[in-house]
């Protein structure tokens, strides 16, 4: 049932959100010259997949977890995208392709070995990664790998339709600050 909802919402979001997506691409072209970026992430069962996202950092920023990146690497438009969570919209394509779900553990980078090990030991990597979830609405990010993996496991163990909608609604309403960036 959740996969069917993912497909319906992703398709709906991409079709009806197309004008917004195109506007953000145009603004992003002026901001960084390259508004969309593609990055290898850890997917279900540790399989790699290519995450699609709006660029919020300067093009020459190293490919590291957000909490390891410098705050100075985020552009002004990038701050807006992160604050409004609009940088996540292109991931609806990943949801449509079956690589992600709307709700699930946020996909990490392959160089985040501690987080991968913590998630693997708790069975979290057996699930499809998601755009949002329990950790995101509670401001738990990848800077605390053990707590994040515990929270992801707790979310997956209690994931039902009610919680699925709750996490989505709370994210849309602005609960959670997104990934932390060092100052």
């Amino acid at each position: 049932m959740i996969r069917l909802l993912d497909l319906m919402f992703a398709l709906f979001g991409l079709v009806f959100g197309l004008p917004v997506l195109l506007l953000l691409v145009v603004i992003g072209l002026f901001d960084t010259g390259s508004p969309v970026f593609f990055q290898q992430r850890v997917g279900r069962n540790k399989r790699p997949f290519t995450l699609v996202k709006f660029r919020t950092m300067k093009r020459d920023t190293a490919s590291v977890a957000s909490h390891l990146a410098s705050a100075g690497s985020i552009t002004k438009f990038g701050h807006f995208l992160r604050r409004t969570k609009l940088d996540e919209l292109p991931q609806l394509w990943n949801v449509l392709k079956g690589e992600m779900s709307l709700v699930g553990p946020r996909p990490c980078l392959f160089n985040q070995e501690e987080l991968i090990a913590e998630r693997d030991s708790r069975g979290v990597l057996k699930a499809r990664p998601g755009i949002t979830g329990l950790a995101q609405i509670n401001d738990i990010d990848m800077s605390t790998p053990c707590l994040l993996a515990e929270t992801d496991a707790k979310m997956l163990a209690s994931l039902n339709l009610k919680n699925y909608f709750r996490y989505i609604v709370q994210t849309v309403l602005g609960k959670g600050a997104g990934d932390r960036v060092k100052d």
Side-chain angles (χ1 to χ4, degrees), residues 90-155:
Q91 291 170 61
L92 292 175
W93 178 247
N94 293 110
V95 173
L96 200 58
K97 287 174 60 181
E99 298 164 331
M100 291 180 71
S101 175
L102 291 177
V103 174
R106 285 294 299 154
C108 60
L109 298 166
F110 278 95
N111 62 8
Q112 292 177 283
E113 295 168 7
E114 184 182 354
L115 178 56
I116 293 169
E118 291 286 347
R119 283 178 164 173
D120 200 24
S121 71
R122 291 170 173 80
V124 171
L125 295 176
K126 292 178 184 172
R128 197 176 264 120
I131 294 175
T132 193
L134 181 60
Q136 287 67 44
I137 64 170
N138 286 295
D139 293 324
I140 300 167
D141 68 7
M142 295 182 183
S143 65
T144 54
C146 186
L147 177 61
L148 178 57
E150 287 172 2
T151 306
D152 289 339
K154 178 180 172 185
M155 173 191 62

Side-chain angles (χ1 to χ4, degrees), residues 17-160:
L18 188 60
V20 173
L21 288 165
L22 291 174
L23 178 65
L24 295 174
V25 165
V26 170
I27 295 169
L29 279 170
F30 290 103
D31 186 49
T32 62
S34 178
V36 178
F37 82 97
F38 305 87
Q39 188 178 56
Q40 286 289 302
R41 296 283 181 111
V42 178
R44 187 180 205 176
N45 297 317
K46 292 194 259 185
R47 287 192 198 109
F49 77 99
T50 304
L51 181 94
V52 185
K53 202 168 180 183
F54 281 128
R55 185 178 300 280
T56 60
M57 297 184 187
K58 296 173 187 168
R59 289 175 67 178
D60 60 349
T61 303
S63 184
V64 296
S66 291
H67 68 279
L68 298 175
S70 164
S73 62
I74 300 176
T75 67
K76 287 182 182 179
F77 184 56
H79 277 289
F80 166 77
L81 290 174
R82 282 172 170 255
R83 190 175 60 251
T84 59
K85 299 180 179 84
L86 290 172
D87 60 320
E88 311 287 353
L89 280 179
Q91 291 170 61
L92 292 175
W93 178 247
N94 293 110
V95 173
L96 200 58
K97 287 174 60 181
E99 298 164 331
M100 291 180 71
S101 175
L102 291 177
V103 174
R106 285 294 299 154
C108 60
L109 298 166
F110 278 95
N111 62 8
Q112 292 177 283
E113 295 168 7
E114 184 182 354
L115 178 56
I116 293 169
E118 291 286 347
R119 283 178 164 173
D120 200 24
S121 71
R122 291 170 173 80
V124 171
L125 295 176
K126 292 178 184 172
R128 197 176 264 120
I131 294 175
T132 193
L134 181 60
Q136 287 67 44
I137 64 170
N138 286 295
D139 293 324
I140 300 167
D141 68 7
M142 295 182 183
S143 65
T144 54
C146 186
L147 177 61
L148 178 57
E150 287 172 2
T151 306
D152 289 339
K154 178 180 172 185
M155 173 191 62
L156 292 171
S158 65
L159 189 57
N160 55 32

